[in-house]
Amino acid sequence: MDRDTFREFGHRFVDWVADYFEEVEKYPVMSRVKPGEVRAMLPSGPPAQPEPMESIFRDFKQIILPGITHWQHPSWFGYFPANNSPASVLGEILTAGIGAQCMLWQTSPAAEELEELVLDWLKQMLGLPEEMTGVIQDTASTATLCALLSAREKATGFESNQKGLRENLVVYASVETHSSIEKGIKIAGYGRDNLHLIPTDKTYALVPEKLEQAVREDKEQGLKPACVVATLGTTSSTAVDPLQAVGKICRRHGLWLHVDAAFAGSAAILPEMKWMLEGAEHMDSFVFNPHKWLFTNFDCSAYFVKDPAALVRTFEIHPEYLKTGLDAKVKNFRDWGIQLGRRFRALKLWFVIRSYGVEGLQALLREHIRLAQLFAGWVRENAQFELMAPVPFSLVCFRFNDGGEEQSLDALNKKLLESINATGEVFLTHTTLGGRYVLRLAIGQRTTTERHVREAWNLILQKTEELL
Ligand code: PLP
């Protein structure tokens, strides 16, 4: 492609994205294509000859776009958000243009130093303990795997890297923990049976007394407790495990404390939400996702550790071809995680923080929390609906309940969700809490306003009436 064509399409694509941001509301939130439909419209083999960008762009609009589920839609209330922002997209354009691979300080000094800087900014914004140091991972799943691997090494005196895991090390998390913990346990070689799930209370938060009891019993049985994963903002209902109490148990028994705050961690930038980090001094590692609720394009996961030496000792490798004369003086992030090659993710995050300012980011999050409380109020006031969990952040768990049989309520709520999503006007997802089928309305889109939340509620009421 020559420079003029690149320039022409570059300008058109930026125009297209700018319009998309404005007009995303005109698309059905969830794609309506059927399985196999997109693939069937595309040639099965690659083109032998170059194709003009005009026709590639046309196919993007005609074939790919209808198969997109619009996460940036203001009526996106599913799962958790994966929001972006104009500043983040502009940062991504430059990252793609530069195309730097950031495995060593030398492979782009500015990328390494900017990553250190923006993570230090995030540490200040959230109020994490001063002694923690950060690194960007792709996802919270990867960061948690890094924590589990470091915990494994620390518990075995850094021997299992060398000799393989020979003991039954045990990891604890609540029954509400994210599935990435189980995945990490499997990959890190602990064995699925050595993930011990601790019961929760009626707010779905881990019960510290039950954790203490499990650790003691496991020790008596000759097992070796190694790590606890606490969650601030569980996936189903954003329950908050009591960090202070869990942290004290970890210190008493010499366990690694990893904190998974993938979604809710962003809320700690608000002074009124700092309570969630009470006990943070006990954390060995902490992860949250700016790619969920801090307006930074997927992927971007901020991982902080108290003892970077333990992380580096877990991952470091020294092949001759990667050695530089500066290794003793600088950070080489290839040793801070699983990947060797790394994207320049710090740039978009730097753009986002600078372009909003901390107060701008706080205002957006505060509004999302307000909207969730507003919605929760409507649910509370309606005799046909009930809240199914506390609402500490911006996720509301609720269901229709007219006092009917539990099983028929599950089926009814499932049907209700399907009929709501089929309209394409909004997108909500579900979970189960206490064995009951529950609807989740997660607020976190950059452009979501009170109007969108009100329209969602009206649609829920309308679809409920139609179903009955
Ligand atoms: N932890 C929690 C509490 C989550 O809610 C999620 C995803 O929603 C994850 C981890 C996984 O995040 P990621 O997709 O960044 O791996």
Side-chain angles (χ1 to χ4, degrees), residues 80 139-141 178 180 231 233 235 260 262 289 291-292:
F80 281 136
T139 59
S141 303
H178 186 259
S180 57
T231 310
T235 311
D260 174 3
N289 284 345
H291 71 224
K292 277 190 164 66

Side-chain angles (χ1 to χ4, degrees), residues 295-370:
F295 316 101
T296 307
N297 279 62
F298 195 88
D299 51 10
C300 183
S301 208
Y303 179 55
F304 293 87
V305 290
K306 187 183 270 176
D307 179 8
L311 183 69
V312 171
R313 236 179 122 181
T314 303
F315 291 107
E316 67 188 338
I317 33 108
H318 299 286
E320 188 55 38
Y321 84 105
L322 291 179
K323 287 180 184 159
T324 72
L326 291 162
D327 291 346
K329 286 197 197 135
V330 297
K331 274 185 194 163
N332 291 317
F333 278 130
R334 63 140 200 252
D335 290 331
W336 289 59
I338 293 159
Q339 300 172 263
L340 171 61
R342 305 175 74 252
R343 299 185 63 225
F344 185 9
R345 296 190 184 89
L347 192 70
K348 60 189 172 188
L349 192 49
W350 187 53
F351 274 40
V352 168
I353 298 171
R354 290 187 62 182
S355 122
Y356 281 102
V358 176
E359 288 178 14
L361 294 169
Q362 286 172 332
L364 277 171
L365 266 53
R366 203 169 266 138
E367 176 64 0
H368 292 158
I369 293 171
R370 183 189 78 80

Side-chain angles (χ1 to χ4, degrees), residues 393-410:
F393 304 102
S394 62
L395 168 72
V396 186
C397 293
F398 67 103
R399 68 170 180 169
F400 170 79
N401 183 359
D402 61 354
E405 291 259 313
E406 281 297 347
Q407 270 197 342
S408 63
L409 283 181
D410 284 352

Side-chain angles (χ1 to χ4, degrees), residues 226-242:
C227 176
V228 176
V229 181
T231 310
L232 304 181
T234 56
T235 311
S236 275
S237 70
T238 58
V240 179
D241 290 343

